[in-house]
Amino acid sequence: MDSLNKTITTIFFIMGFETKRNMEMFLFSLFMSMYMLTLGAHFLIITLVLLERHLHKPMYLLLANFSLVEVLYTTVTVPKMLDALLTRKKEIYSSSCLVQFYFFFAFGNSENLLLSAMAYDRYVAICHPLRYSAIMNRHTCVTICSVCCVCAFLHAFLHAIVTSRLDFHHQEHIPHFFCDIPPLLEISSSDTTFNQLLIFTEGSLVALVPSSLTVLSYVRIIISILRIRSSTGRRKTFSTCYSHLTIVILFYSTVIFMYFRPSSFYSPTYDRVISIVYSVIIPMLNPFIYSLRNKEIKSALRKMISIRFHPN
């Protein structure tokens, strides 16, 4: 209990961007623009799915949930980063740091599970088109999204509890721009062997099961596509899952590099760059990857713009 009380009263200093004032203001403007663009693009997708009846399909309902999770995922970390850049107030109590870590981990895992659910949706649509409406109905979508969130939050809770028991000095400098597992383990004065073991065992299992289902779904999808005799038909069918596959590759490549590697490969500089990629850049790109490759979303967007500017 004394260790826990000591931990929650520790003051951390977010030292992810130690640079000149002019550069800090440039980064603030850049990341603020990217954050606002991310929010606007994701809320636009959510609005389109809610308002357009022809988008009330499992594929787009899952996409709307994914966009909502991405909004929350970026909001957990980016505002604090922007505040630190603008005001240079880099301190954060470890209790707040732990809350940030928990929700960042929870929403990140929700993304992981939702990506797997979206891959399964594409598998059913392409490999079992006649049974699609029976298998992937609204009740199934609600159940899948609920299970994804519950599992993700329970998984994050386990890691938050274990992390909260680590010892830190009264004032610690985090060489990062938010509270994440690798930098917290790096600055802890405790033995972090159990935490690292937990990441590589339970964490790997949580990541491996959804990613394996995603890979299996796409293997079956590719086999089905190759059986289509028409090259036009193959391209048209593959285009329905191309955008999702792109997001999957971006997501897992950064997560694997960041979390599933030996601690001897830890590098604050590289980690900050990768963290910017998966916490700021990829969430900004994802809605554009979907909208630019999806005819139904582009059609719904044109319809909304037409009604807005030409109501008659």
Side-chain angles (χ1 to χ4, degrees):
M1 182 62 70
D2 290 338
S3 175
L4 182 59
N5 289 335
K6 180 182 176 182
T7 298
I8 63 176
T9 57
T10 299
I11 298 176
F12 290 137
F13 292 89
I14 306 296
M15 311 301 292
F17 299 106
E18 284 291 286
T19 183
K20 296 180 179 179
R21 186 57 179 165
N22 289 342
M23 179 57 69
E24 285 182 337
M25 294 309 299
F26 169 76
L27 291 174
F28 171 80
S29 301
L30 176 63
F31 293 141
M32 171 62 84
S33 300
M34 296 173 72
Y35 179 57
M36 298 306 295
L37 185 59
T38 299
L39 294 184
H42 280 294
F43 278 125
L44 179 60
I45 288 179
I46 295 170
T47 302
L48 289 173
V49 173
L50 290 176
L51 296 182
E52 295 296 327
R53 293 184 60 85
H54 72 280
L55 295 182
H56 291 181
K57 303 174 184 178
M59 173 182 176
Y60 298 109
L61 293 176
L62 289 171
L63 176 58
N65 278 276
F66 183 77
S67 288
L68 177 60
V69 169
E70 286 229 298
V71 167
L72 298 172
Y73 173 75
T74 56
T75 301
V76 168
T77 58
V78 176
K80 176 58 182 176
M81 177 184 70
L82 294 174
D83 178 65
L85 286 169
L86 182 64
T87 66
R88 288 191 163 183
K89 294 180 179 178
K90 303 179 185 295
E91 63 271 19
I92 178 174
Y93 278 103
S94 56
S95 54
S96 300
C97 184
L98 191 63
V99 170
Q100 184 187 62
F101 159 78
Y102 170 71
F103 283 107
F104 177 78
F105 215 54
F107 292 131
N109 278 286
S110 296
E111 284 192 18
N112 176 31
L113 295 172
L114 283 172
L115 284 172
S116 180
M118 293 162 77
Y120 176 73
D121 171 76
R122 291 299 83 208
Y123 157 72
V124 177
I126 293 173
C127 300
H128 303 284
L130 298 180
R131 299 173 55 198
Y132 179 74
S133 58
I135 297 175
M136 292 299 296
N137 51 49
R138 181 170 298 184
H139 179 265
T140 302
C141 283
V142 172
T143 301
I144 288 175
C145 292
S146 300
V147 170
C148 287
C149 289
V150 170
C151 291
F153 275 76
L154 288 176
H155 171 65
F157 182 73
L158 172 62
H159 285 271
I161 289 296
V162 174
T163 304
S164 70
R165 301 186 67 82
L166 295 176
D167 287 327
F168 299 94
H169 297 297
H170 181 63
Q171 292 188 351
E172 286 281 9
H173 291 76
I174 302 178
H176 209 52
F177 62 89
F178 66 91
C179 298
D180 201 2
I181 289 182
L184 288 176
L185 296 184
E186 187 68 18
I187 66 174
S188 174
S189 58
S190 302
D191 181 4
T192 60
T193 303
F194 178 75
N195 299 73
Q196 295 177 10
L197 183 63
L198 188 66
I199 293 173
F200 278 95
T201 54
E202 188 269 349
S204 296
L205 180 64
V206 170
L208 184 62
V209 172
S211 60
S212 298
L213 291 175
T214 301
V215 171
L216 181 60
S217 296
Y218 274 104
V219 168
R220 297 294 301 272
I221 288 171
I222 292 172
I223 292 173
S224 296
I225 291 175
L226 292 176
R227 289 175 179 171
I228 300 174
R229 295 182 180 181
S230 168
S231 59
T232 303
R234 286 196 296 268
R235 286 196 300 269
K236 184 178 179 181
T237 303
F238 184 71
S239 66
T240 63
C241 56
Y242 173 82
S243 57
H244 176 261
L245 183 59
T246 302
I247 291 174
V248 166
I249 293 172
L250 290 172
F251 180 84
Y252 284 115
S253 60
T254 54
V255 168
I256 290 172
F257 176 86
M258 190 67 186
Y259 297 104
F260 300 103
R261 56 178 174 154
S263 58
S264 58
F265 287 91
Y266 176 78
S267 170
T269 302
Y270 288 141
D271 282 7
R272 285 195 292 268
V273 173
I274 295 298
S275 297
I276 288 293
V277 171
Y278 70 70
S279 65
V280 180
I281 297 177
I282 292 180
M284 179 189 68
L285 294 178
N286 284 346
F288 295 99
I289 293 173
Y290 264 106
S291 61
L292 291 176
R293 299 287 305 183
N294 191 286
K295 292 181 179 179
E296 288 188 287
I297 287 184
K298 288 191 289 186
S299 175
L301 180 58
R302 283 194 295 266
K303 180 181 176 182
M304 176 180 288
I305 294 173
S306 177
I307 293 175
R308 173 66 179 82
F309 292 99
H310 306 285
N312 295 326

